[in-house]
Amino acid sequence: EMSHVAHKPATGGLGDVQNDEHHTVHKYGKLRIQEIDVPRVSYFFGLIRPPTSRIFWTQDPETGEKVLVRDKEERKTTWTELFYDLIFVVVINKLAHSVAEEPEYFDRYVVLFFSVWRIWVNTVFYATRYDTNDLVHKMFYYVLMLGLLGMGINMAPTYHKGYGDAYVVCLLVARTVLVVMNYLTVFFNGPFGMAVPFGIGGTLSSIPWIVSLFIDHKKSMTCWWIGIVMDEVLTWSTPFFAGQFPRFRTPVHIEHLSERFGLFVIIVLGENIVGSLFSDEKGDYSAEVYGASALGIWTTFAMQWIYFDAEGAPKRKHAMRRALPKALAWGYVHTFLIASLVIAAAGAAGTLKACGKDTEISTGSRWMESARYRLRKT
């Protein structure tokens, strides 16, 4: 098995490729790889390091075979990225609680969820290619967190009213930071790589959100829907169409990307744990409450078990390495997975609240709670 997935020796001007079984190759499948020390340019005593791609495609000058050149240093999730994820714990919590209180506004939930999810996904797509974890990128995450903090603060009133200028302004702050970082990458690296189409796409899909600030509030939701659709179409079609042009073809660190998506799943599963807990000032709980909490935590435990441990495909042949359409499908399926997990958390909270107060479970909570079991089956 190891000889089957080992590196193929290189010839010609690219030099020798290591024949050691790199653990990412063993995990994700057979691929010709050349590992090098990617030069790191720094300024001001190493505090500033321009965005640099540490993984790219090249071509063997003799055989014409494509070779993936990547940094010897493994791309791992940084502490800054983990800290950045904490703000999404707050935002997702606000969204889940809003849905639990008024589950009938499902269309508003979809718009608000996609607006938050898209910021996280675009940040990860940028970071896995260009993040150098320097002072500029740390400030980049800080300003992003400020925008997301404002979105979290205005989440509940925006959900209940169906509009919110403050929410849109905070959203545009976060989106502007992402667009600026992509253009900054183009400035340092030239018009190459995915930073070009992602920067243009982020600019275009922000226009409907800006327009919504200057029209009647009753029509603002229509602009939000247009912005969401543009975002999804441009984000997921960009790798496919831009990848047809060599100058825009920038691969991703598969091990980093899969780790980041898994960490976000953990965040939303944590919200399911919170939804499975019921607290009351009196502290007089019935056996029904304890039983419902135990079942809620068990279903959450089962979902993380299925996601992380029960994958049927060989670990060394990750979906992102089979073909571009399969890689895009793997990423996009997470959109519906995360959205369903947030609904499941809201359903758990509604169910526990009804059990604790000995009242009938609302129809909305029943539907959302059933999402847990449907999700497990899917």
Side-chain angles (χ1 to χ4, degrees), residues 317-336:
K317 194 74 172 176
H318 196 280
M320 285 190 288
R321 284 283 294 278
R322 296 173 189 168
L324 180 59
K326 292 182 180 179
L328 293 176
W330 179 87
Y332 201 71
V333 162
H334 278 80
T335 302
F336 301 100

Side-chain angles (χ1 to χ4, degrees), residues 81-109:
E81 289 178 289
L82 292 174
F83 182 73
Y84 169 67
D85 285 350
L86 291 178
I87 193 67
F88 286 93
V89 175
V90 178
V91 177
I92 293 297
N93 178 271
K94 293 289 186 180
L95 181 57
H97 278 245
S98 299
V99 177
E101 291 175 5
E102 293 183 284
E104 61 270 20
Y105 298 126
F106 185 75
D107 58 331
R108 299 177 188 177
Y109 163 73

